[in-house]
């Protein structure tokens, strides 16, 4: 049965989707009763009731929840959305999204790769659906698509110029020896010039102009000291940390590190923390930041970035040439962190960088034992 926070998230998302303000999420009623109360009679069909029951009974245990996510992934392999004509987001989509969000966001990359249809659907709902501000954005790596037509255009241009050059060369051969030599050189030069022209005419890759303005300076990265860490009460893959970043009160942060580090290994460790993430809840536990970690390609090795000895708790990470002011709070809808994260990686020596620029502290750069790793 769903917890109180789980129920409130579902009811809050559904109320936002339907612009309904009269529902009390603190009611003693279960999710099924509350959803029945908020939905009008035209929406109370058998299919909708089935998905409300799915949300109401969604398991808390990570093993059972992954099995349920697998079944949902299979169902979504045949359609774009849970109910409707394939385009419109329904109440069922919002209810199920809110019920599975915490489980999906705590999955490792390898587990997410096993659920492509589910992740595609989750990304569509978080972008197009109006679910309010309670749900942290799920970060996805998306492959940029280059239309095959662009390659065909390049090939046609090259072939056309080659034929043109061959024709000019044949005409030149009918002239006298001196003229032939001269024209042959001219033909070769024309071929070289034409090839250069083709290279210059290559179709440019599509670039979102807004993405050019995304700078690492929008992130507020600070050195944090983990005072203590413990296992998440309802998610085997998550740990909860109490982190000092030089503020009056320590921050509580939830991280998907349980499979890679023990609470004892994290305690008293210096880490790099994103401190201007929007506060959220992961499996009903509040989280006020993100511990940046390096991971290898198949996500089998993951570790928090290593702050250099002598780095000061609370100091901000600096990047040469990026002196902008950090956002007060990152906007999940603009996907600012997602756009910056694609350029965060460790170099051949394990130094943490943004586009090759080191993460610098007063005591030197932050590092990792994993070279050529992605950072998130």
């Amino acid at each position: 049965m769903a917890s109180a926070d789980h129920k409130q998230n579902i009811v809050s998302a559904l109320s936002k989707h339907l612009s309904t303000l009269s529902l009390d999420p603190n009611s003693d009623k279960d999710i099924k009763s509350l959803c029945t109360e908020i939905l009008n009679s035209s929406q109370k069909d058998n299919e909708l009731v089935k998905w409300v029951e799915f949300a109401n009974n969604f398991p808390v245990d990570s093993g059972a929840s992954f099995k349920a996510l697998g079944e949902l992934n299979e169902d979504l392999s045949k359609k774009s959305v849970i109910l409707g004509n394939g385009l419109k987001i329904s109440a069922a989509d919002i209810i199920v999204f809110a019920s599975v969000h915490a489980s999906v966001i705590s999955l490792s990359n390898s587990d997410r790769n096993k659920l492509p249809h589910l992740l595609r659907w989750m990304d569509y709902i978080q972008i197009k659906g109006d679910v309010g501000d309670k749900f942290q954005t799920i970060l996805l790596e998306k492959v940029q698509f280059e239309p095959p037509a662009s390659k065909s255009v390049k090939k046609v241009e090259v072939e056309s110029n080659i034929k043109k050059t061959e024709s000019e060369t044949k005409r030149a051969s009918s002239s006298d020896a001196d003229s032939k030599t001269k024209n042959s050189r001219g033909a070769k030069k024309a071929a070289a010039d034409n090839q250069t022209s083709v290279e210059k005419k290559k179709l440019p890759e599509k670039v979102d102009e807004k993405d050019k303005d995304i700078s690492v300076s929008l992130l507020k990265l600070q050195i944090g000291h983990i005072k203590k860490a413990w296992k998440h009460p309802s998610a085997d893959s998550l740990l909860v940390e109490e982190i000092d970043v030089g503020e009056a009160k320590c921050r509580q942060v939830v991280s998907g590190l349980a499979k890679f580090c023990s609470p004892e290994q994290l305690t008293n460790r210096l880490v790099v923390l994103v401190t201007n993430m929007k506060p959220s809840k992961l499996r009903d536990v509040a989280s006020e930041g993100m511990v940046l970690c390096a991971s290898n390609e198949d996500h089998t090795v993951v570790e928090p970035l290593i702050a250099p000895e002598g780095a000061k708790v609370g100091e901000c990470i600096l990047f040469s040439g990026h002196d902008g002011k950090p956002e007060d709070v990152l906007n999940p809808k603009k996907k600012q962190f997602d756009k910056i994260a694609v350029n965060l990686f460790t170099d051949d020596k394990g130094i943490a960088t943004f586009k090759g620029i080191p993460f610098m502290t007063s005591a030197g750069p932050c590092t990792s034992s994993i070279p050529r790793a992605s950072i998130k």
Side-chain angles (χ1 to χ4, degrees):
M1 187 62 66
S3 67
D5 284 333
H6 184 196
K7 179 175 68 174
Q8 287 183 357
N9 285 345
I10 293 174
V11 172
S12 172
L14 185 57
S15 298
K16 183 74 174 175
H17 174 69
L18 298 174
S19 300
T20 303
L21 303 175
S22 59
L23 195 66
D24 178 14
N26 297 313
S27 168
D28 292 334
K29 297 178 182 179
D30 62 13
I31 290 174
K32 184 176 179 181
S33 300
L34 286 169
C35 289
T36 301
E37 182 180 331
I38 197 173
L39 298 171
N40 60 48
S41 58
S42 66
Q43 294 172 305
K44 296 174 188 175
D45 55 49
N46 292 334
E47 277 293 302
L48 180 57
V49 170
K50 180 185 80 172
W51 290 110
V52 170
E53 290 179 346
F54 173 88
N56 190 51
N57 299 319
F58 189 76
V60 174
D61 174 74
S62 60
S65 66
F66 187 75
K67 180 180 179 182
L69 292 176
E71 294 170 354
L72 180 57
N73 178 72
E74 180 64 26
D75 186 79
L76 286 165
S77 67
K78 305 168 187 175
K79 53 193 179 184
S80 298
V81 290
I82 287 178
L83 287 183
N85 59 9
L87 295 175
K88 185 178 180 181
I89 296 174
S90 68
D93 289 284
I94 299 299
I95 293 169
V96 175
F97 174 88
S99 70
V100 305
H101 178 273
S103 293
V104 173
I105 204 168
S106 65
L107 292 176
S108 66
N109 285 349
S110 58
D111 283 342
R112 289 187 184 186
N113 290 337
K114 298 174 184 176
L115 306 170
H117 307 297
L118 172 64
L119 269 295
R120 178 264 307 159
W121 170 78
M122 293 287 288
D123 192 47
Y124 179 65
I125 301 301
Q126 70 182 3
I127 293 173
K128 297 295 185 181
D130 190 359
V131 294
D133 300 327
K134 285 182 173 288
F135 303 95
Q136 183 178 337
T137 300
I138 297 172
L139 307 179
L140 299 179
E141 294 183 7
K142 300 178 184 179
V143 178
Q144 295 297 319
F145 175 70
E146 180 182 359
S150 64
K151 297 179 181 178
S152 300
V153 170
K154 296 172 189 176
K155 183 177 180 182
V156 169
E157 287 183 350
V158 172
E159 291 177 349
S160 175
N161 283 312
I162 289 174
K163 288 180 180 179
K164 181 179 178 182
T165 301
E166 289 175 348
S167 177
E168 291 174 351
T169 303
K170 286 179 181 179
R171 288 197 299 270
S173 65
S174 62
S175 304
D176 56 67
D178 291 340
S179 178
K180 181 178 179 180
T181 302
K182 182 178 179 181
N183 286 338
S184 176
R185 290 174 180 170
K188 289 179 181 179
K189 186 177 185 301
D193 290 344
N194 284 331
Q195 185 65 30
T196 302
S197 176
V198 170
E199 292 299 323
K200 289 181 179 179
K201 290 180 182 178
K202 284 184 179 179
L203 295 179
E205 295 182 4
K206 262 191 174 181
V207 178
D208 188 340
E209 291 298 322
K210 294 181 181 178
D211 289 356
K212 293 181 179 179
D213 298 327
I214 296 298
S215 168
V216 70
S217 62
L218 296 179
L219 300 183
K220 188 172 184 180
L221 306 181
Q222 293 179 265
I223 299 297
H225 176 221
I226 299 180
K227 307 290 284 187
K228 62 180 180 179
W230 62 94
K231 292 183 178 180
H232 191 289
S234 59
D236 295 339
S237 63
L238 301 178
L239 294 179
V240 187
E241 304 98 29
E242 184 179 284
I243 305 179
D244 177 15
V245 288
E247 298 171 334
K249 181 182 177 182
C250 288
R251 292 188 178 222
Q252 178 174 282
V253 176
V254 180
S255 305
L257 288 170
K259 296 180 182 179
F260 310 102
C261 307
S262 68
E264 293 73 24
Q265 289 172 320
L266 290 179
T267 302
N268 287 324
R269 181 168 181 164
L270 291 181
V271 292
V272 177
L273 190 69
V274 185
T275 55
N276 61 341
M277 300 288 287
K278 188 168 187 176
S280 61
K281 283 191 175 182
L282 294 179
R283 284 295 188 91
D284 303 330
V285 175
S287 183
E288 302 172 294
M290 176 188 290
V291 175
L292 285 186
C293 298
S295 65
N296 63 352
E297 188 173 353
D298 61 3
H299 204 68
T300 55
V301 182
V302 178
E303 69 172 19
L305 292 182
I306 302 169
E309 184 176 352
K312 300 174 183 178
V313 172
E315 74 169 288
C316 290
I317 305 296
L318 301 178
F319 297 87
S320 177
H322 294 269
D323 303 322
K325 181 181 178 182
E327 292 278 86
D328 292 333
V329 179
L330 294 176
N331 187 338
K333 291 185 178 180
K334 291 184 179 180
K335 297 187 177 295
Q336 292 165 303
F337 180 79
D338 307 46
K339 294 172 182 176
I340 296 171
V342 298
N343 294 306
L344 302 180
F345 55 89
T346 62
D347 64 14
D348 292 342
K349 298 179 181 179
I351 296 175
T353 72
F354 168 76
K355 294 184 176 181
I357 303 170
F359 285 52
M360 288 301 297
T361 72
S362 59
C366 298
T367 59
S368 169
S369 65
I370 312 172
R372 299 177 298 282
S374 59
I375 298 175
K376 285 187 178 178

